[in-house]
Amino acid sequence: MTQTTDSTDLTDPTDFLAPARLGRLALPNHLVMAPLTRNRAEADGTPTDLMVTHYSQRASAGLIIAEGTTPNPVGQTYPDITAIHTDRHVSGWRRVTDAVRAAGGRMFLQLQHGGRVSHPATTGRTPLAPSPVPLPETIFTPQGHRRAAVPREMTADDIRATIADFAAAARRAVDAGFEGVEVHSANGMLLHQFLADNTNRRTDAYGGPAARRVRFAAEVTEAVADAIGADRVGIRISPASTVNGVLEEDTDGLYATLLDRLKGLDLAYLHLVRSGPATGWYRRIRADWPGVLIGNPDLTGLSTQGVTRAARETAGADLVALGRPFLANPDLVTRLRLGAPLNPVRDRYFMYVGGAAGYNDYPALADQAGLPSSDSMVASDGSRVA
């Protein structure tokens, strides 16, 4: 079974800075850079020079999980999102992984199909989803925010083809130099749409009771594990999340059913969004999951003390995933080790704008003398801190 360090309860403030293991990987610390959508790819999904710089700047993370990357054209969510279904994509990502490896880092790639979180104005295709239930909000496209399109209900052939696309994308990711992949079954994306009651109204073998609603997510994960080896595969889930308009009526039973299906695969890890110690479903999943658990705690602001406290309170997690702290602080590990102040996130540049501003121009500690820190400036969008 995959193991991290001997101690898996991060109750000491320095534990998350100690070395760890993730299967075949030796990690310099327990901190994981969480996947963050930033819209800095080329229009066809190929990574850019900006991304080479961005990820290599953050190579001191124990593990980087690169942003959600589509396994096929119809799975694209927004403009300028990364992809991994052509040779050009593989070559582009290889430049990123080579740079990160040269800087001492390690990377997984998150595989993300948006399902109904997509638009014909972006992809030229009608979105696919478990049922023809549109996103209840607008979606960003090359022409700005547009009303969401009604997706086409996936046929049995669509389901088989999509599972095959995930497996092929995983093989391409390994060819591109990634250590492994993360299957995105969270945050209202396609796999989560199959899990959720309000977006899955099917009456066939992929809808209805929980045992059928988990089938698609399980079959995707199984196919990816068969393609590249289970020890190279993680899965991300977000129980009780309502992001992108999903709603689960039986969170506990649903995820117990899903994890029962996945336990025997011996995956590299389970990545759990909103993994606060007070959440009942989190405690139950931690007790039930036999392998490595990556906890992704809620943060209400960015400060050295707040991030340290959140990492400590991710009770029982083997590794701790942080999004915005790594975004705004390329040298986050050093700052936490020294107890130094953190940069605040500039939300104006978070998505849709492109360019280096708010992406590659966050200063390292050595270059920051006299700049305000997050101990005196709280990120303005605390509710979205990853």
Side-chain angles (χ1 to χ4, degrees):
M1 181 172 293
T2 310
Q3 298 288 334
T4 55
T5 54
D6 291 338
S7 173
T8 58
D9 189 355
L10 302 180
T11 55
D12 184 273
T14 60
D15 278 355
F16 60 86
L17 297 176
R21 289 204 65 86
L22 180 65
R24 70 185 76 185
L25 296 179
L27 311 183
N29 55 70
H30 288 68
L31 296 179
V32 176
M33 179 177 167
L36 289 168
T37 299
R38 302 304 313 281
N39 307 82
R40 260 68 174 191
E42 295 183 25
D44 75 340
T46 301
T48 60
D49 290 344
L50 286 172
M51 295 172 61
V52 173
T53 300
H54 181 76
Y55 284 113
S56 61
Q57 285 177 338
R58 290 153 179 80
S60 60
L63 177 70
I64 294 173
I65 306 174
E67 62 208 82
T69 298
T70 182
N72 57 26
V74 74
Q76 182 180 355
T77 50
Y78 311 111
D80 304 324
I81 294 298
T82 52
I84 188 72
H85 51 81
T86 72
D87 290 346
R88 189 166 189 263
H89 298 148
V90 172
S91 296
W93 274 120
R94 170 62 76 171
R95 295 174 57 238
V96 176
T97 60
D98 282 350
V100 169
R101 189 169 288 109
R106 299 133 299 275
M107 296 186 78
F108 270 47
L109 178 66
Q110 186 185 77
L111 302 180
Q112 170 190 276
H113 189 302
R116 70 175 186 166
V117 185
S118 184
H119 199 280
T122 301
T123 66
R125 297 165 170 83
T126 300
L128 298 179
S131 301
V133 181
L135 191 70
E137 56 209 50
T138 62
I139 184 167
F140 190 78
T141 76
Q143 289 80 47
H145 280 277
R146 300 277 295 274
R147 182 184 219 173
V150 177
R152 178 170 66 80
E153 180 170 307
M154 294 174 71
T155 65
D157 285 344
D158 291 327
I159 288 173
R160 284 190 291 271
T162 303
I163 292 171
D165 287 342
F166 269 92
R171 287 189 289 268
R172 286 184 179 276
V174 172
D175 290 344
F178 288 97
E179 303 288 353
V181 301
E182 175 177 283
V183 175
H184 194 10
S185 187
N187 297 343
M189 297 300 167
L190 179 64
L191 276 64
H192 198 183
Q193 292 161 31
F194 270 87
L195 297 176
D197 304 80
N198 69 324
T199 48
N200 185 344
R201 299 178 182 176
R202 305 175 72 96
T203 57
D204 64 0
Y206 291 90
R212 298 209 299 252
R213 281 185 284 122
V214 306
R215 181 178 172 183
F216 180 67
E219 288 183 351
V220 167
T221 308
E222 289 161 356
V224 170
D226 284 344
I228 63 172
D231 62 335
R232 290 180 178 268
V233 180
I235 183 171
R236 192 183 208 206
I237 59 174
S238 57
S241 171
T242 58
V243 173
N244 288 312
V246 296
L247 180 64
E248 305 158 1
E249 293 183 0
D250 181 16
T251 293
D252 286 343
L254 176 67
Y255 288 95
T257 302
L258 175 63
L259 298 187
D260 279 345
R261 176 83 179 254
L262 298 179
K263 279 185 210 177
L265 295 180
D266 199 15
L267 298 175
Y269 64 79
L270 173 68
H271 186 178
L272 192 55
V273 179
R274 295 178 59 245
S275 45
T279 307
W281 53 257
Y282 170 71
R283 294 195 299 271
R284 285 187 285 274
I285 287 174
R286 172 65 285 185
D288 194 41
W289 182 250
V292 169
L293 182 70
I294 299 179
N296 184 199
D298 280 329
L299 299 174
T300 56
L302 298 188
S303 69
T304 308
Q305 295 85 352
V307 171
T308 299
R309 182 170 57 251
R312 290 184 63 190
E313 291 178 352
T314 306
D318 299 286
L319 302 170
V320 178
L322 301 169
R324 292 184 171 220
F326 271 112
L327 164 62
N329 299 274
D331 56 348
L332 178 66
V333 175
T334 296
R335 289 172 185 264
L336 294 179
R337 194 180 300 279
L338 296 176
L342 303 186
N343 297 320
V345 172
R346 287 174 283 152
D347 286 290
R348 173 184 174 188
Y349 301 102
F350 191 76
M351 291 177 69
Y352 312 137
V353 297
Y359 189 60
N360 291 343
D361 61 347
Y362 284 103
L365 188 62
D367 304 322
Q368 199 182 10
L371 293 178
S373 76
S374 64
D375 293 335
S376 59
M377 295 175 61
V378 177
S380 63
D381 193 6
S383 65
R384 290 199 295 148
V385 171

